[in-house]
Amino acid sequence: MSRLAQSVVSPNGALGSSSKKLHTAALSTLPRDLITLGDYSAEQIAALVESAADLKHKTKVLGQKHHPDQPLKGQTIAMLFSKRSTRTRVASETSIAYLGGHAMFLGKDDIQLGVNESLRDSAQVISSMVDGIFARVGAHEEIRTLAQYSQVPVINALCAENHPTQILADLLTIWEVYGHKGGSIFNVLKGLNVAWIGDSNNIVYEMLAAMPKCGMNMSVCTPAKYPIPENVRERAATDAQSASASVTYCHDPLEAVRGADIIVTDTWVSMGQEAEKAQRMVDFDGYQVSMDMATKGGANKDWIFMHCLPRKPEEVTDEVFYSDRSVVFQEAENRKWTILAAFNALFSPKK
């Protein structure tokens, strides 16, 4: 079975007129900042994904090498990266160039947020000189403080609790794979079953902030020692109820993958947790995603595999990772298009 991306736009390469009007209207109502998709409505999330798909098509199919309006011409976007990155940095710098802006990269060796001066002071000073901030930080409080005291829009490139641009990329990838069903993005996503097998971390928290409200069912499997925080569970339950979706939790991977359309995992040892690696390898024994797990657990016959990368062999077997069920590289590329859509929507002066 081929996992090449299906077209998610109409044959002429543009969104249908009704979809275009709806997603344009939703984009015009976005909050100033993007800290978590939990702050966005389902319609606003869908609009960003649709915009990303449209930009991807115009670039890759129609050959548009830069945005014709150059919406960030003369604008400088500060990229504050307290943590190293590959996909996020490449995607963001190329997106800013595509929109005609200037990317100012400030890594942990260039600037130490909250060290020589308070984070509040840094936010006020930096935002007085730039037109937008894209920040990859540590604690969730850091991104909230940046947004609170910034004079310009702030987009979260990653923090300890959230990773919104990654989950937007995941939703775009899922829409591409299942887009042959036709109709709106909600028609495609609604009712799909997502199984998370792994750690209790920012990726699954952000999935829970976005997917249930889009009508997707989630089965979340983490070791008992690594529970999902109660506030995350409560919000996901409320969103799921409103969208007639379901969210369940367990500690048995075979139970989690039952009926799954999408199986997702991530690193078991995030940055800053290296000292815990030996114990985590014990705690996550039996959590490696494999063909055998999917078969024994009863995943749907056309299930696909997702991982935000970088991947380590203990998390998923080569047989799955490099199989035609895996959409990990399509998913990685889609970081570019969803970041591009977010920058265009939030950093453009028209916003």
Side-chain angles (χ1 to χ4, degrees), residues 26-81:
L27 290 177
S28 70
T29 65
L30 295 179
R32 189 196 73 160
D33 306 308
L34 175 52
I35 305 304
T36 171
L37 295 174
D39 297 333
Y40 282 46
S41 69
E43 291 74 19
Q44 290 169 333
I45 293 171
L48 282 171
V49 176
E50 288 174 341
S51 178
D54 201 35
L55 288 163
K56 181 177 183 179
H57 182 90
K58 287 175 180 175
T59 302
K60 300 200 73 174
V61 178
L62 303 185
Q64 181 174 283
K65 297 301 183 183
H66 58 81
H67 196 293
D69 299 331
Q70 294 289 274
L72 294 187
K73 184 176 182 180
Q75 309 291 305
T76 296
I77 306 302
M79 299 169 53
L80 311 182
F81 279 46

Side-chain angles (χ1 to χ4, degrees), residues 14-32:
L15 290 168
S17 58
S18 59
S19 294
K20 186 75 171 179
K21 288 178 182 178
L22 288 172
H23 103 248
T24 300
L27 290 177
S28 70
T29 65
L30 295 179
R32 189 196 73 160

Side-chain angles (χ1 to χ4, degrees), residues 27 48-49 51-52 55 95 336-346:
L27 290 177
L48 282 171
V49 176
S51 178
L55 288 163
S95 292
K336 160 72 176 280
W337 309 112
T338 50
I339 286 174
L340 177 58
F343 285 4
N344 188 39
L346 297 180

Side-chain angles (χ1 to χ4, degrees), residues 238-268:
T238 299
D239 288 340
Q241 184 176 24
S242 297
S244 299
S246 66
V247 181
T248 59
Y249 303 90
C250 66
H251 307 303
D252 180 358
L254 295 182
E255 178 183 344
V257 302
R258 188 174 303 124
D261 299 298
I262 302 135
I263 300 177
V264 191
T265 194
D266 183 26
T267 181
W268 299 344

Side-chain angles (χ1 to χ4, degrees), residues 3-5 52-53 55-61 65 86-92 94-95 165-166 168-174 176 306-309 326-341:
R3 291 303 178 187
L4 294 174
L55 288 163
K56 181 177 183 179
H57 182 90
K58 287 175 180 175
T59 302
K60 300 200 73 174
V61 178
K65 297 301 183 183
T86 300
R87 283 150 299 282
T88 305
R89 181 171 180 182
V90 173
S92 53
T94 56
S95 292
T165 59
Q166 176 62 57
L168 286 172
D170 292 355
L171 292 172
L172 174 57
T173 305
I174 294 166
E176 288 175 335
M306 301 181 74
H307 190 302
C308 67
L309 305 182
S326 175
V327 294
V328 296
F329 296 111
Q330 180 177 333
E331 178 187 7
E333 180 195 336
N334 281 340
R335 292 291 307 285
K336 160 72 176 280
W337 309 112
T338 50
I339 286 174
L340 177 58

